[in-house]
Structure formats: C-alpha cells, structure tokens
Amino acid sequence: FNSLTRARNYEIRLTDLDRMPLDEIDLLALQAAGIVPGDALSAKVILAGAISRKVTLKGVGATKGAKAAIEAAGGSVAE
C-alpha cells in the first residue's frame, strides 16, 4: 500500500514560524507565505531551530518538543 496523500503532508521548522509576520498561523497562512505549497493537505511543526515570539497555531499539528517550545515562548497550539 502506498499512500497518495503522504507527499502532500509537510514538516515546518520553528525557525520558519519565527520569520512569519503573523501571530495566528494556520495552513492557509503557511501557503500564502510560501512555506508550504498550495496543494498541501496538512502541515506539522517539528522541533528544529528556535522560536522567540508568541504565536498561535490553529489546525496545524506540532510534535511534543515543538509544542513545548511554542508554549515556552508564550504561544499556544489549538488543534
């Protein structure tokens, strides 16, 4: 079995989120910023790099480590 949607699920680094000018980040904002392609079905933030400001993720997944880093910076993750 080969998943047809696996290639359209993307991983995002914390550094990418830190560079975005928005405080509330969802899949459409990531697509508009060019971080993920327009045909992306989902995105997941991974613990790579650092984040130094408060952001709120909505509808974007996050690993346990990335969620802890976002919350330590004052942000939140809403699934």
Side-chain angles (χ1 to χ4, degrees):
F1 174 75
N2 291 326
S3 175
L4 298 175
T5 61
R6 182 171 185 242
R8 293 176 25 191
N9 299 327
Y10 295 90
E11 291 183 343
I12 302 147
R13 296 181 305 265
L14 287 172
T15 310
D16 294 333
L17 293 183
D18 202 34
R19 290 182 189 145
M20 289 185 68
L22 303 171
D23 291 333
E24 194 169 296
I25 299 171
D26 60 0
L27 187 59
L28 291 175
L30 292 170
Q31 290 171 339
I35 294 175
V36 296
D39 68 344
L41 295 176
S42 67
K44 187 174 205 175
V45 180
I46 60 172
L47 181 62
I51 190 161
S52 59
R53 63 185 189 88
K54 179 181 173 181
V55 296
T56 302
L57 291 181
K58 292 193 174 187
V60 177
T63 63
K64 188 187 299 184
K67 185 175 180 180
I70 291 168
E71 290 172 350
S76 64
V77 179
E79 300 278 336

